[in-house]
């Protein structure tokens, strides 16, 4: 990343925007002070304090593509829960079934008829025949890795540098000088993760080939495109070769679509004909409620069953102590919401509406970058758009990280927020949902243009 602006000017602009936020958000300030007495860091989850604001912004309500804070300000939301509400806040079909079934039980540890319908929808949409339901994508990834190790009899897992798979322990690793190391900032890690993990750069097929050639990797856990270190798209032919290599070395391929579900109906997997052994999806699957799923191929399911049926009495599974499953997983209340979401919200029509809006946003941002001759680039995956501080799209997580400019990013986010626009807090990602209006997209583009004029 090469700075082409004055740091002094950026600091002054950031200070002005912080003062503006404080002036217009007295109720959030009041609640932030109260919260410090009861919540660590003044928030119910510590990363909620990591936004660009001087203190946390407290939300009153959210609906569609908008939310309102406790001071009465309304925002066009292009973050949408960082994909958690990718189709909008409180989608009407999901809200309706929640209201209808709120008095009819939540958790019974037993299946409902909705589970069968959900399973059929998942199979038809994503192409894998058998499914399990978890509470978060972190859970689903964790259990997918357990099954992969169990059915292959191998311990090593391979991920790509800068990957995002929730907070699964194994994925808290990076590549540094060619070696697998613990992720910087990792807290409370007792075991040496590098013992059973390998990390290679995304799009680096020679490194991938080398890492798999020892035939001891249980699974490659992979986002179809990297998303949380800044978007990194796969090279042409990368996924074809990834699939060929994993099959050649007896390694399972796990595709995590938790973010790339923005690609289109059926996600990146269906859009580009990927053939994973296991498939993971979280966040938006139940309309914003905590829920995730993972699917397995017929071959993997058969091995799972063989693994269970061949245990002798001394090795019997016992009462579900497989290291997988939580009491609230697949609860019937969430299953009903997921069914409504799959049938009426995550539809082809929704994608047909969202993706052209994202294309309009991407083009508008490109025009601003060209207008100001900035060394920035735009990346898009379906309804997901991101601008990065590099002249060309990065090919690896390392390249994406080199493009980081935390001070500039934070100032842009606060500038937009003070003008009624929210994008994701940790990088420059934006989503368009069915409720997103063209006028809001125009405002976002116009506001970023104004910011650039002020800074440059």
């Amino acid at each position: 990343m090469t700075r082409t602006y004055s740091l002094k000017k950026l600091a002054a602009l950031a200070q002005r925007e912080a003062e503006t936020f404080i002036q217009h958000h007295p109720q959030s300030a009041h609640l932030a002070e109260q919260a410090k007495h009861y919540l660590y860091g003044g928030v119910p989850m510590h990363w909620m304090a990591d936004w660009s604001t001087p203190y946390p912004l407290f939300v009153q309500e959210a609906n569609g593509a908008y939310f309102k804070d406790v001071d009465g300000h309304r925002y066009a939301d292009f973050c949408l829960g960082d994909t958690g509400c990718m189709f909008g806040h409180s989608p009407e079909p999901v809200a309706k079934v929640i209201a209808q079934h709120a008095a009819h039980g939540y958790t019974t540890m037993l299946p409902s008829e909705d589970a069968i319908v959900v399973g059929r929808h998942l199979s038809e949409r994503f192409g894998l025949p058998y499914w399990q339901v978890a509470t978060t994508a972190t859970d689903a990834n964790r259990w997918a890795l357990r099954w992969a190790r169990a059915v292959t009899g191998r311990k090593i897992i391979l991920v790509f540098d800068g990957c995002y798979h929730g907070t699964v322990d194994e994925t808290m690793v990076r590549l540094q000088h060619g070696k697998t190391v613990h992720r910087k900032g990792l807290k409370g890690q007792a075991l040496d993760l590098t013992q059973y993990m390998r990390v290679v750069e995304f799009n680096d097929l020679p490194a991938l080939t080398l890492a798999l050639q020892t035939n001891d990797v249980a699974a490659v856990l992979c986002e179809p495109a990297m998303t949380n270190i800044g978007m990194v798209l796969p090279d042409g032919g990368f996924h074809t070769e990834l699939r060929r290599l994993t099959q050649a070395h007896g390694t399972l391929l796990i595709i995590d679509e938790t973010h790339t579900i923005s690609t289109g109906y059926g996600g990146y997997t269906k859009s580009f004909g990927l053939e994973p052994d296991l498939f993971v999806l979280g966040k938006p699957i139940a309309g914003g409620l905590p829920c995730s799923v993972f699917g397995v191929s017929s071959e993997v399911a058969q091995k799972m069953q063989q693994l269970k049926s061949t245990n002798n009495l001394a090795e019997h599974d016992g009462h579900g102590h497989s290291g997988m499953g939580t009491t609230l997983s697949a609860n019937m209340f969430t299953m009903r919401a997921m069914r409504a979401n799959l049938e009426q919200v995550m539809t082809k029509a929704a994608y047909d509406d969202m993706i052209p809006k994202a294309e309009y946003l991407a083009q508008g941002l490109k025009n601003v970058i060209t207008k100001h001759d900035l060394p920035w680039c735009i990346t898009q995956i379906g309804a997901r758009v991101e601008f990065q501080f590099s002249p060309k799209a990065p090919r690896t997580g390392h390249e994406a990280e080199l493009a980081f400019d935390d001070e500039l990013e934070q100032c842009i986010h606060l500038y937009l927020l003070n003008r009624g626009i929210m994008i994701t807090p940790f990088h420059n990602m934006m989503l368009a949902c069915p409720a997103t209006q063209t006028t809001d997209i125009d405002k976002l583009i116009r506001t970023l243009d104004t910011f650039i004029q002020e800074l440059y």
Side-chain angles (χ1 to χ4, degrees), residues 371-403:
K371 172 184 174 182
H372 296 283
D373 194 25
L374 294 175
W376 299 2
C377 65
I378 301 295
T379 313
Q380 181 186 354
I381 305 176
R384 185 182 181 100
V385 178
E386 184 162 319
F387 60 90
Q388 291 162 284
F389 306 130
S390 60
K392 62 180 182 178
R395 290 185 58 253
T396 67
H398 179 65
E399 288 182 7
E401 193 170 35
L402 289 176

Side-chain angles (χ1 to χ4, degrees), residues 199-222:
V199 184
V200 301
E201 290 284 12
F202 195 71
N203 283 321
D204 189 342
L205 288 173
L208 178 64
T209 301
L210 186 64
L212 293 177
Q213 69 178 9
T214 46
N215 295 324
D216 59 352
V217 176
V220 173
L221 177 56
C222 176

Side-chain angles (χ1 to χ4, degrees), residues 21 25 27-36 39 42-44 53 55-61 67-73 75:
F21 180 89
H25 297 86
Q27 185 60 16
S28 273
H30 174 68
L31 294 177
E33 283 301 313
Q34 285 188 318
K36 289 178 182 178
L39 302 171
V43 285
T53 54
Y55 44 80
L57 177 67
F58 281 75
V59 176
Q60 185 175 76
E61 62 184 31
F67 75 92
K68 186 168 72 172
D69 69 22
V70 292
D71 287 287
H73 305 297
Y75 302 83

Side-chain angles (χ1 to χ4, degrees), residues 306-320:
Q306 289 173 350
L307 187 72
K308 186 174 182 180
S309 61
T310 55
N311 281 344
N312 59 37
L313 290 177
E315 297 173 329
H316 194 269
D317 286 348
H319 301 290

